[in-house]
């Protein structure tokens, strides 16, 4: 079938023009637009208008366009190409009869502690059962059985292990919704590695922005492998230039090896299951670390709160790189055992009715979506597309992941009541990646609860005072429900103090689903934790135990003593005639003249006519005064695609603000070929720079080994043969300083005066991250310190001889009787006036994180009333990671803290000393707390 004739082209062009005229009545110039003009920029067709355009083309031509036309087609000419490849119209899901699904024999046992143990249980118990039903673009389905998924995942795991992937390595996955995604995700887990799901590129015109954001995530995760599909291979190879740790880019097919006999790498509940990066991550990516224990606790709590069982059927189109789709739908299916019916996000965006027809066809009981999806169904679906639809099986319609609009849930309930949808099925929920996914669910079967509060009082004083029924300006806020079982939510003021009910403040939470922090991002971690509570970044209040959200803390605009929230004004401006729906951003910006913040509204417009530009500012200001009580300082009317958004459609207000303050909001997006060329040139420059860095690094490593071989053997001989312990320690210190100086590693020190604050013996405790830590301490600390080493080093003559000659002490870590004897010997040395240096972690590992402290040093300090001096060493983990033999240049720092003394009873004093010392070292190290 072909559509390349002039008649076909003219017919299609008129269809596009006709829709553009409807959207822009009275606009001039539409009839002059041609096949190569841009659908958004020139015709003014946004993503919602594309839904209508594709539906018209399919009805008029009697074909079924590929879902990719929704995002790939940027001009009528592109649509013509898609039309030429289109298939004839096929029967729709609504012609499918209700499906009878046999339930599994109960959920997995609580003894399963990891995701792969859950999959193994299902595969062993009922491997032939269908786990997931996948829809493709042509609405054909394929079933994924538990045993098939296990076998395919084993093949990927075998390939990863064969490629040299080690336990704990991060593996990035940039795959669309499909069978390969699940094989890769669970394959990475079976290999003992950590999956990092990434969202695939959308439109070619946005490839440069996509590359920049993805590169930051891959580099932060230090991913060693990228698993992608053939279409994204070119982008994957460009990433290698920006991400030094990335060794391989491969498809699932290329990575898979025969998995027969593959033995999964053992992991436990406390290990990281995967890293969930926020879709808006840019310069400082925030990868939420979620352990298997976090995920299973969250899945159990959500199942309890929702009453979901293995008899339910869940239909989902949510992206698999997003926590709501991956954890809530997919892992929820694995945990509870219900059937999951899955289609791609693109399938929904291209034809929103397909989501509802899938619920009808499979008699689904559960489905979830952000608020915009329900709004899309209300506004963009024709009654002809819904004839015969039956939604009476749908008992839980989760609405979350973005602010829930009371207008949307009311309109959806009204519109679809005639199709069997019950208003009580709408279930607004609240969650965030930092709490795995779910945090607050409403009572079952109650339906939405909407609070009406006095707008001015909330803005001025932060009190959510109920508004009288006669108040036309009352602010309506949707309840998100109560904290999940085993979890807690509180509201605090700026000082971290809990506030009374119906008082707005910062939303904090805690519970077994809570993350350990952001991966390799100590700055973000410092703002995440408030003792045992975690900051959500949201603002809200509690009323009768339920959470009501009022906005994001970072989006709050403080102006004239009023707290202003952008979401409501954005939604209202989006409804103005001439403004593109969803193309509005409201944000604060710095006024360089006054140094204060001003209120800015950025609105994409459909028509650039003078009359529209004159009318819209007046209308926007009127709305701002009505809703916020203040006028707008600046209104920017812009072309389509100016407002930046995340992959899930959320407005990136901070990024819009940055462009506004830089004066680059109106900069035209470059053509895709120019973006690819720029990326290629940037990649080439990065590869050249990387080659230079690698070469210099290799040269420095060789030099470091030469210095080591030149200094260590003579030092060993001198220490072994020289009389006098004091002389031997001075030799060790001098040689260590020379070695560090010749290699450029001399550490930057601070707080050295604290080592002289106490005239008697003292105990130094230092974090441990590398084999070179002792060398650094020897160079820095005064020679009066004796080092406490593990007993195993006694069996290594190369280490044992100089350690004994330097007066080091050896302690037994595993034999409790011998350990007590060693502690008594150390106590005698302290009482004799000798100072000791400990590594209280006892060992170190390749992965960042401060391990738990053993009690020995602190019990000794308590018994002898010796001060404990916490010392933090940073940079050595990078210098010589794990058991590697190749050093890498790193800046070393040694921070000596003030001595800690406790006057409590012996055991309490030891605990006090341990906790205080560890807290200080953890704060300075910038590493996560691995004590859990």
């Amino acid at each position: 079938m072909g559509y390349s004739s002039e008649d076909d082209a003219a017919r299609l062009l008129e269809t596009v023009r006709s829709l553009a005229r409807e959207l822009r009545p009275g606009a001039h110039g539409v009839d002059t637009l041609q096949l190569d003009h841009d659908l958004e920029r020139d015709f003014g067709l946004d993503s919602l208008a594309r839904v209508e355009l594709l539906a018209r083309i399919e009805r008029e031509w009697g074909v079924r366009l590929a879902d990719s036309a929704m995002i790939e087609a940027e001009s009528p000419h592109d649509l013509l190409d898609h039309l030429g490849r289109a298939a004839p119209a096929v029967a729709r899901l609504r012609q499918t009869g209700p499906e009878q699904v046999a339930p599994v024999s109960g959920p997995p046992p609580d003894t399963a502690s990891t995701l792969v143990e859950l999959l193994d249980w299902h595969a062993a118990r009922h491997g032939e059962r269908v786990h997931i039903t996948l829809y493709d673009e042509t609405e054909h389905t394929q079933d994924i059985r538990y045993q098939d998924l296990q076998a395919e995942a084993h093949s990927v795991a075998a390939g990863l292990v064969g490629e040299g992937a080690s336990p704990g390595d991060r593996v990035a996955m940039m795959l669309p919704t499909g069978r390969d995604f699940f094989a890769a995700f669970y394959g990475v887990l079976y290999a003992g590695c950590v999956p990092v799901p990434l969202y695939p590129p959308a439109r070619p015109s946005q490839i440069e922005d996509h590359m920049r954001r993805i590169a930051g995530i891959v580099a932060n995760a230090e991913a060693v492998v990228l698993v992608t599909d053939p279409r994204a291979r070119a982008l994957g190879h460009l990433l290698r230039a920006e991400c030094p740790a990335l060794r391989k880019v491969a498809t699932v097919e290329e990575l898979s090896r025969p998995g027969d006999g593959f033995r999964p790498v053992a992991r436990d509940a406390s290990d990281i299951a995967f890293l969930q990066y926020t879709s808006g991550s840019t310069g400082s990516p925030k990868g939420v670390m979620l352990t298997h224990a976090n995920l299973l606790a969250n899945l159990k709590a959500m199942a309890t709160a929702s009453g979901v069982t293995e008899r339910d059927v869940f239909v989902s189109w949510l992206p698999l790189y997003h926590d709501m789709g991956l954890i809530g739908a997919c892992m929820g299916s694995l945990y509870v055992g219900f059937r999951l019916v899955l289609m791609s996000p693109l399938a929904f965006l291209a034809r929103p009715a397909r989501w509802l027809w899938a619920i009808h066809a499979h008699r689904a009981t559960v489905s979830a979506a952000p608020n915009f999806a329900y709004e899309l169904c209300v506004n963009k679906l024709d009654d002809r597309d819904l004839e015969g639809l039956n939604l009476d099986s749908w008992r839980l319609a989760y609405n979350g992941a973005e602010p829930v609009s009371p207008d949307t849930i009311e309109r959806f309930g009204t519109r679809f009541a005639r199709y069997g949808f019950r208003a009580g099925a709408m279930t607004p929920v609240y969650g965030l990646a930092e709490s795995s996914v779910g945090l607050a669910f409403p009572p079952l079967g109650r339906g939405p609860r909407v609070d009406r509060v006095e707008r001015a009082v909330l803005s001025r004083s932060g009190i959510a005072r109920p508004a009288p029924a006669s108040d036309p300006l009352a602010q309506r806020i949707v309840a998100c429900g109560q904290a999940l079982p085993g979890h807690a939510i509180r509201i605090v003021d700026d000082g971290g103090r809990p506030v009374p009910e119906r008082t707005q403040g910062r939303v904090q939470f805690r519970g077994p689903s809570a993350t350990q922090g952001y991966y390799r991002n100590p700055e973000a971690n410092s703002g995440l934790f408030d003792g045992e509570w975690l900051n959500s970044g949201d603002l809200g209040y509690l009323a009768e135990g339920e959470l009501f959200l009022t906005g994001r803390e970072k989006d709050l605009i403080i102006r004239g003593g009023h707290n202003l929230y952008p979401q409501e004004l954005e939604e209202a401006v989006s409804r103005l005639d001439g403004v593109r729906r969803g193309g509005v951003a409201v944000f604060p910006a710095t006024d360089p003249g006054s140094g204060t913040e001003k209120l800015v509204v950025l609105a994409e417009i459909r028509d650039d006519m003078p009359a529209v530009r004159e009318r819209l500012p007046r209308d926007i200001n009127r709305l701002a005064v009505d809703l916020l009580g203040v006028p707008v300082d600046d209104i920017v009317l812009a072309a389509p695609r100016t407002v930046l958004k995340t992959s899930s459609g959320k407005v990136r207000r901070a990024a819009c603000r940055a462009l506004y303050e830089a004066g680059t909001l109106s900069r035209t997006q470059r053509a895709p070929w120019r973006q690819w060329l720029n990326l290629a040139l940037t990649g080439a420059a990065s590869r050249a720079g990387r080659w230079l860095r690698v070469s210099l690094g290799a040269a420095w490593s060789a030099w470091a080994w030469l210095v080591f071989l030149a200094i260590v053997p003579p030092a060993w001989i001198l220490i072994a043969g020289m009389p006098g312990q004091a002389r031997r320690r001075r030799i060790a210190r001098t040689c260590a300083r020379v070695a560090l100086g010749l290699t450029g590693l001399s550490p930057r020190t601070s707080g050295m005066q604290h080592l002289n604050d106490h005239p008697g013996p003292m105990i130094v405790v230092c974090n441990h991250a590398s084999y070179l830590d002792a060398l650094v301490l020897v160079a820095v600390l005064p020679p009066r310190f004796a080092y406490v080493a593990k007993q195993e080093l006694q069996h290594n003559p190369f280490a044992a001889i100089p350690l004994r000659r330097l007066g080091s002490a050896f302690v037994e870590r595993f034999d409790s009787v011998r350990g007590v004897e060693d502690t008594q010997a150390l106590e005698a040395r302290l009482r004799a006036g000798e100072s000791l240096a400990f590594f209280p972690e006892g060992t170190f590992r390749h992965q960042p994180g401060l391990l738990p402290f053993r009690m020995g040093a602190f019990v000794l300090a308590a018994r002898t009333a010796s001060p404990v001096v916490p010392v933090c060493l940073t940079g050595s983990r990078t210098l010589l990671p794990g058991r590697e033999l190749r050093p890498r240049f790193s800046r070393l720092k040694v921070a000596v803290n003030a001595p800690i003394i406790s006057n409590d009873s012996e055991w309490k004093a030891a605990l006090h000393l341990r906790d205080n010392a560890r807290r200080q070292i953890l704060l300075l190290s910038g590493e996560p707390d691995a004590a859990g």
Side-chain angles (χ1 to χ4, degrees):
M1 180 184 299
Y3 292 94
S4 57
S5 70
E6 292 183 6
D7 288 344
D8 294 321
R11 184 179 166 198
L12 176 64
L13 184 58
E14 180 53 33
T15 301
V16 179
R17 287 174 176 171
S18 175
L19 181 58
R21 292 190 203 101
E22 293 176 21
L23 294 170
R24 303 159 63 186
H28 299 293
V30 171
D31 291 338
T32 65
L33 299 175
Q34 301 299 319
L35 289 171
D36 288 324
H37 280 92
D38 191 275
L39 289 172
E40 288 204 35
R41 187 177 59 250
D42 301 317
F43 286 94
L45 306 185
D46 59 14
S47 57
L48 301 184
R50 283 170 177 259
V51 175
E52 174 63 22
L53 176 61
L54 296 184
R56 292 186 183 189
I57 293 172
E58 291 182 340
R59 283 197 297 266
E60 188 169 342
W61 266 266
V63 297
R64 199 72 163 161
L65 292 171
D67 291 341
S68 57
M70 176 69 189
I71 60 170
E72 290 181 356
E74 305 211 7
S75 68
H77 193 281
D78 294 338
L79 284 174
L80 195 65
D81 291 341
H82 277 278
L83 197 54
R85 302 191 298 269
V90 296
R92 299 189 180 247
L93 283 172
R94 61 173 173 269
Q95 297 173 341
T96 305
E99 179 181 357
Q100 299 297 322
V101 179
V104 299
S105 51
D110 289 338
T111 53
S113 61
T114 67
L115 294 175
V116 292
E117 287 179 18
L118 290 180
L119 179 53
D120 288 341
W121 183 88
H122 282 294
R125 191 73 172 268
H126 37 250
E128 293 289 334
R129 289 189 183 274
V130 174
H131 172 33
I132 299 169
T133 297
L134 272 173
Y135 275 92
D136 62 18
E137 288 189 0
T138 62
E139 298 189 3
H140 291 102
T141 64
Q142 61 170 313
D143 291 333
I144 302 178
R145 300 177 301 171
Y146 288 106
Q147 64 185 20
D148 295 336
L149 176 55
Q150 183 191 52
E152 292 165 16
H154 279 185
S155 296
V156 173
L160 284 170
V161 173
E163 292 290 341
S166 301
D169 280 351
R170 278 71 60 205
V171 177
M173 298 169 45
M174 190 163 60
L175 293 164
T177 298
R179 195 177 194 108
D180 280 356
F181 180 93
F182 294 101
F185 186 86
Y186 289 104
V188 173
L189 289 176
Y190 275 122
C193 300
V194 179
V196 184
L198 308 173
Y199 55 101
R203 294 180 181 170
S205 61
Q206 299 171 336
I207 193 68
E208 195 170 8
D209 182 57
H210 180 85
M211 169 70 179
R212 183 169 59 252
R213 296 164 69 193
I214 289 297
I217 294 174
V218 175
N220 176 257
E222 294 182 323
V224 298
V225 177
L226 171 65
V227 186
T228 186
D229 69 350
R231 293 172 294 180
R233 284 183 64 92
L235 181 62
H237 287 297
L238 287 174
L239 282 173
R240 294 187 66 182
E242 302 290 331
C243 308
L246 190 60
R247 301 195 303 258
K248 186 175 183 63
V249 177
T251 65
V252 168
E253 182 180 2
E254 293 167 343
L255 205 55
S256 297
R257 298 185 182 182
D260 298 339
F262 174 77
R263 296 176 62 86
V265 178
R267 304 293 276 171
D268 58 39
S270 63
D271 288 319
I272 297 175
F274 80 107
L275 297 180
Q276 173 69 61
Y277 279 86
T278 58
S279 55
S281 296
T282 50
S284 182
K286 294 195 295 185
V288 179
M289 297 185 290
L290 295 174
T291 66
H292 292 275
N294 292 149
L295 294 169
L296 268 57
N298 200 241
L299 293 170
K300 181 178 182 179
M302 290 192 296
T304 301
S306 63
V308 172
T309 71
E310 67 273 12
R311 296 181 180 273
D312 282 293
V313 178
F314 195 131
V315 167
S316 177
W317 55 265
L318 298 168
L320 298 181
Y321 51 79
H322 192 276
D323 50 14
M324 196 173 178
L326 178 58
I327 304 174
C330 300
M331 294 182 191
S333 171
L334 188 69
Y335 180 83
V336 179
F338 54 70
R339 171 77 69 88
L340 177 64
V341 179
L342 195 60
M343 61 181 65
S344 73
L346 188 55
F348 165 75
L349 292 173
R351 298 176 192 85
R354 185 185 290 181
W355 174 36
L356 303 181
W357 280 111
I359 293 171
H360 161 97
H362 296 274
R363 302 297 295 155
T365 55
V366 185
S367 193
N371 190 81
F372 86 87
Y374 295 99
E375 183 72 27
L376 193 65
C377 291
V378 170
N379 293 325
K380 294 301 177 181
L381 296 185
D382 193 286
D383 286 342
R384 292 172 296 178
D385 295 326
L386 303 175
E387 185 178 348
L389 179 69
N390 183 4
L391 300 177
D392 66 1
S393 64
W394 196 2
R395 68 177 183 86
L396 285 173
Y398 290 123
N399 188 335
E402 66 181 22
V404 179
S405 166
D407 294 329
T408 297
I409 59 180
E410 288 175 6
R411 287 196 295 264
F412 188 89
T414 301
R415 171 84 193 273
F416 291 95
R418 74 188 80 163
Y419 302 106
F421 182 78
R422 296 183 298 276
M426 181 62 70
T427 310
V429 293
Y430 172 62
L432 64 167
E434 290 79 357
S435 183
S436 296
V437 60
L439 181 57
F441 278 33
L444 271 177
R446 186 200 61 193
R449 174 186 173 186
V450 179
D451 197 19
R452 298 177 76 257
V453 301
E454 294 183 5
R455 182 185 306 276
V457 175
L458 181 63
S459 172
R460 184 177 61 253
S461 64
I463 302 300
R465 185 161 61 193
S470 59
D471 185 354
L473 296 179
Q475 186 169 344
R476 298 196 301 162
I477 305 172
V478 179
C480 300
Q482 303 166 341
L484 290 173
H487 297 69
I489 297 173
R490 72 173 184 175
I491 309 296
V492 299
D493 60 18
D494 291 338
R497 296 175 293 272
V499 299
E501 189 173 78
R502 286 197 167 274
T503 302
Q504 179 184 257
R506 296 186 293 118
V507 180
Q508 294 186 333
F509 66 95
R510 66 183 180 188
S513 306
T515 178
Q516 299 176 16
Y518 301 115
Y519 187 70
R520 296 183 62 233
N521 196 331
E523 182 179 354
N525 282 330
S526 65
L528 177 62
F529 295 101
D530 183 5
E532 62 178 345
W533 294 88
L534 285 78
N535 293 307
S536 68
D538 288 311
L539 298 171
Y541 62 91
L542 291 172
E544 298 173 13
E546 292 203 60
L547 175 66
F548 294 82
L549 295 178
T550 55
R552 291 287 293 170
E553 188 176 2
K554 66 180 180 181
D555 294 332
L556 177 66
I557 304 167
I558 302 175
R559 190 170 180 271
H562 290 255
N563 295 332
L564 311 179
Y565 305 96
Q567 293 89 350
E568 195 173 20
L569 181 57
E570 287 173 349
E571 185 175 349
V573 173
S574 289
R575 291 197 292 266
L576 289 175
D577 186 30
V579 176
R580 295 178 72 244
R581 181 76 175 172
V584 180
V586 177
F587 52 86
T590 302
D591 186 341
S594 63
T596 60
E597 283 195 338
K598 59 182 181 180
L599 179 62
V600 180
V601 173
L602 167 63
E604 298 175 355
I605 57 176
R606 302 180 186 278
D607 198 334
D608 203 20
M609 294 178 62
V612 174
R613 284 191 167 272
E614 183 180 351
R615 171 180 55 83
L616 280 177
R618 293 197 304 269
D619 293 345
I620 292 172
N621 252 323
R622 174 179 51 79
L623 284 173
V625 172
D626 288 346
L627 294 175
L628 305 181
V630 295
V632 175
D633 294 301
D634 193 12
I635 297 172
V636 181
L637 303 180
R641 299 191 193 172
T642 303
V643 174
L644 301 178
K645 297 183 179 181
T646 69
S647 58
S648 55
K650 297 178 184 177
V651 175
R652 296 167 59 199
R653 298 184 186 91
C656 290
R657 172 178 179 167
L659 292 181
Y660 173 85
E661 293 180 340
T664 57
L665 263 179
S666 59
R667 182 173 295 173
T668 304
Q669 213 164 32
R670 288 178 288 190
W673 72 267
R674 293 188 62 186
Q675 294 188 46
W676 276 105
L677 178 61
N678 183 61
L679 288 174
L681 293 175
T682 303
S686 297
R687 281 192 292 272
R690 184 179 173 186
W691 177 86
L692 181 61
R693 290 192 299 272
V694 170
S695 299
L696 292 174
W700 182 87
S701 297
W703 169 247
W705 268 108
L706 283 174
V707 170
F708 178 86
L709 294 174
I711 293 179
V712 171
W716 193 96
I717 294 172
L718 287 172
I719 292 171
M722 186 68 66
Q725 187 179 91
R727 186 180 291 114
R728 292 193 290 267
R729 288 184 178 178
R730 287 195 295 271
I731 291 172
R733 190 176 192 230
T734 300
C735 290
R737 288 187 167 191
V738 171
L740 294 175
L742 289 175
T743 52
L745 293 173
S746 295
R748 192 173 72 189
T749 60
S750 61
M752 296 298 294
Q753 72 277 6
H754 295 311
L755 296 175
N756 300 317
D757 285 352
H758 192 276
M762 60 175 54
I763 295 176
V764 159
V765 292
C766 182
N767 57 311
H768 200 12
S770 166
Y771 285 118
L772 295 179
D773 291 344
L775 176 70
V776 177
L777 288 190
V778 167
V780 169
L781 297 182
R784 71 174 187 272
F785 283 92
Y787 292 85
V788 180
K790 56 188 177 182
Q791 184 68 35
E792 297 94 292
L793 292 177
Q794 288 267 44
H795 306 299
N796 182 346
F798 182 79
I801 292 174
L803 285 173
R804 282 196 293 265
R805 297 288 285 169
L806 290 171
S808 300
F810 297 90
V811 294
E812 174 59 53
R813 298 188 296 166
F814 306 112
D815 185 332
S816 57
V817 175
R818 179 67 183 275
V820 170
E821 294 176 358
D822 293 337
T823 301
Q824 291 172 344
L826 290 175
E827 182 178 346
R829 294 178 66 165
L830 279 168
R831 294 190 184 282
E834 197 168 1
S835 294
L836 302 176
F838 283 80
F839 292 110
E841 292 170 276
T843 187
F844 66 89
R845 62 182 183 179
H846 176 74
Q847 295 168 313
L850 189 67
L851 297 171
F853 278 9
R854 296 172 179 269
M855 290 296 297
F858 309 102
V859 170
L860 286 171
R863 288 179 181 175
T864 60
S866 301
V868 171
V869 181
V871 173
C872 182
L873 170 57
T874 57
S876 64
R877 194 184 301 278
T878 303
L879 175 62
L880 193 67
R883 299 181 180 276
E884 292 188 22
L885 294 178
R886 179 194 165 191
R888 295 173 173 82
F889 183 80
S890 177
R891 300 291 182 187
L892 300 178
K893 297 179 184 178
V894 178
V896 181
N897 289 269
I900 307 171
I901 300 175
S902 177
N903 296 319
D904 286 332
S905 61
E906 185 175 296
W907 182 247
K908 285 186 177 180
L911 292 174
H912 174 264
L913 293 169
R914 183 200 64 178
D915 294 343
N916 275 5
R918 192 173 186 279
R919 189 179 303 114
Q920 292 184 31
I921 293 174
L922 181 64
L923 183 66
L924 291 172
S925 70
E927 294 196 349
D929 188 348

